[in-house]
Amino acid sequence: MDGSLSAPGGVSGPGRLAGPEEGISVQELALAARNHGLPLEALRYDVTPPGLHYVLVHYDIPATDPDGWRLTVGGRVLRPLSLDLDTLRARPSVTRRVTLECAGNGRARLTPRPVSQPWLVEAVGTADWTGVPLAALLAEAGTAEDAVEAVFTGADHGVERGVEQDYRRSLPLPVAADPARDVLVAYAMNGAPLPPQHGSPLRLVVPGWYGMAHVKWLHDITVTATPYTGFQQSVAYRIRTAPEGDDPGAPVTLIAPRALMIPPGFPDFMSRARVVRPGPVQLAGRAWSGHGAVTRVEIGEFGEGVGEDGGAVWTDAVLDRDPAHPWAWSSWSATWTATPGHHSLTVRATDAEGHVQPLAAPWNRGGFANNLVQRVEVFCTREDPAAP
């Protein structure tokens, strides 16, 4: 269902940018309380435990009954399908390890700041998703010659900017129907049934694409002869670089390269600044990109007296790529020698297509695909209390 809605009190107003002195609003805090990011120390896990994986729920987590759930495949197809969960599970299945990242990851670090879910850098996670290849379902249904897209509808329902809607997104048919893209209709996460917040009982998994494409609580696939123009496709999730105006923008699609560091040492409670002892410190983390394999990870240190004009000095980390999991993040490691005082560490990734994480944030009106490098503030004490 898509339709306009007017109500007292200005339900779901238009998107806007925060004013120069405007702090995080109560509404944004409410979003942040409902949605959560990955604790960065959980980067140590190859596969993220479901409770630590980032969560973004647009509306409410719907009440779903797996026993009566059906997935329909219709529209411009030759043989419409209506499948219950037992029928889906009886089909040949595959498991793919996939890194998911929210398209708004990094939004809260932009200036001016788009008013929305205030992500910093933690909106990411990696899981083993099990399900039926979407390409196999579309092949079974048979697509008409004039088919161009597949539209996916979830059971979550709400209002955005005056539009009442189910959450609905589309994929170009060459992506949806290509077996090499590994798009899944998934029913399991890390070997167990999908948790409610991750789309139980069915969800879409689109390797390499930002999270908005991975429609949760999936119950319908409609093949169309024209591009889908619903709210989540043509209004939301567009890269618009002008602060205002009618620019349609470019669609958000593949994940930009990003590397994250497991914060070293131990934290100050409020600031999250890190405390380490002098000497060698092991640094580690993860790096990923939807455009191709990460080919390089570099560690940088900013600060007075470090590099020219306070710029960063970069050294290569050791990158460990697992060819068995091409859609998942790679681990990296490095050794940094800590000296007493304050330090600002950073890490950046380069992928196989030559995309490099920027040192300046790529601003856009919606705050999407901001893959600015992570900065980790570290304080090194003057001596090791364990030393004799």
Side-chain angles (χ1 to χ4, degrees):
M1 176 179 179
D2 292 305
S4 62
L5 179 74
S6 59
V11 169
S12 193
R16 66 181 185 87
L17 302 175
E21 304 300 325
E22 181 180 351
I24 298 291
S25 67
V26 171
Q27 289 81 8
E28 288 175 291
L29 287 174
L31 285 175
R34 288 184 53 80
N35 304 304
H36 67 79
L38 172 85
L40 291 181
E41 61 270 27
L43 290 166
R44 68 171 70 100
Y45 301 111
D46 291 336
V47 175
T48 309
L52 299 179
H53 195 290
Y54 97 91
V55 170
L56 189 286
V57 177
H58 283 80
Y59 311 128
D60 286 350
I61 298 171
T64 59
D65 180 7
D67 291 338
W69 198 264
R70 299 194 77 84
L71 175 69
T72 54
V73 183
R76 300 298 299 151
V77 298
L78 307 180
R79 297 172 293 277
L81 305 177
S82 180
L83 309 170
D84 61 22
L85 292 183
D86 288 340
T87 302
L88 276 171
R89 293 191 188 104
R91 280 167 159 69
S93 66
V94 297
T95 298
R96 296 290 182 263
R97 184 167 297 176
V98 179
T99 296
L100 269 65
E101 182 178 8
C102 184
N105 202 16
R107 176 186 290 124
R109 301 192 295 167
L110 295 176
T111 304
R113 176 177 56 81
V115 176
S116 186
Q117 167 67 31
W119 291 123
L120 294 170
V121 297
E122 299 91 347
V124 67
T126 295
D128 287 336
W129 304 98
T130 300
V132 178
L134 175 63
L137 291 177
L138 292 175
E140 182 177 341
T143 55
E145 290 185 1
D146 61 354
V148 296
E149 285 192 351
V151 181
F152 307 90
T153 302
D156 44 335
H157 185 84
V159 182
E160 281 191 77
R161 302 186 197 177
V163 179
E164 182 182 355
Q165 60 194 278
D166 296 328
Y167 188 84
R168 185 176 286 123
R169 287 276 309 183
S170 71
L171 287 174
L173 205 56
V175 174
D178 182 359
R181 290 294 312 176
D182 278 334
V183 182
L184 294 183
V185 174
Y187 47 76
M189 178 184 189
N190 296 353
L194 295 175
Q197 73 273 28
H198 289 294
S200 173
L202 287 179
R203 71 171 297 162
L204 198 66
V205 174
V206 188
W209 284 55
Y210 279 111
M212 78 283 153
H214 303 237
V215 177
K216 294 186 282 189
W217 310 290
L218 178 67
H219 66 85
D220 181 75
I221 301 170
T222 299
V223 177
T224 63
T226 57
Y228 175 62
T229 58
F231 178 88
Q232 300 292 348
Q233 201 82 22
S234 60
V235 179
Y237 297 108
R238 311 288 294 191
I239 302 291
R240 299 178 175 93
T241 55
E244 53 187 34
D246 296 328
D247 174 18
V252 177
T253 56
L254 297 176
I255 298 172
R258 188 189 296 275
L260 289 179
M261 179 186 302
I262 300 171
F266 51 92
D268 171 75
F269 174 70
M270 285 298 297
S271 70
R272 308 306 296 176
R274 310 302 293 189
V275 179
V276 300
R277 311 296 187 200
V281 175
Q282 292 302 119
L283 304 178
R286 305 283 174 173
W288 63 93
S289 173
H291 293 270
V294 171
T295 56
R296 187 181 190 187
V297 172
E298 299 167 276
I299 306 300
E301 182 178 354
F302 289 91
E304 184 178 352
V306 179
E308 297 181 2
D309 301 321
V313 172
W314 297 95
T315 57
D316 284 324
V318 176
L319 182 62
D320 183 13
R321 296 194 303 270
D322 186 347
H325 302 295
W327 303 113
W329 55 25
S330 297
S331 62
W332 60 264
S333 60
T335 301
W336 170 64
T337 301
T339 57
H342 285 89
H343 304 269
S344 184
L345 302 180
T346 190
V347 58
R348 69 181 177 189
T350 301
D351 68 28
E353 291 193 3
H355 303 105
V356 185
Q357 276 189 266
L359 302 183
W363 190 89
N364 62 84
R365 196 189 310 173
F368 298 122
N370 173 22
N371 64 332
L372 174 71
V373 295
Q374 175 193 22
R375 295 279 285 265
V376 180
E377 301 304 317
V378 178
F379 175 73
C380 178
T381 60
R382 293 200 171 275
E383 60 183 48
D384 185 348

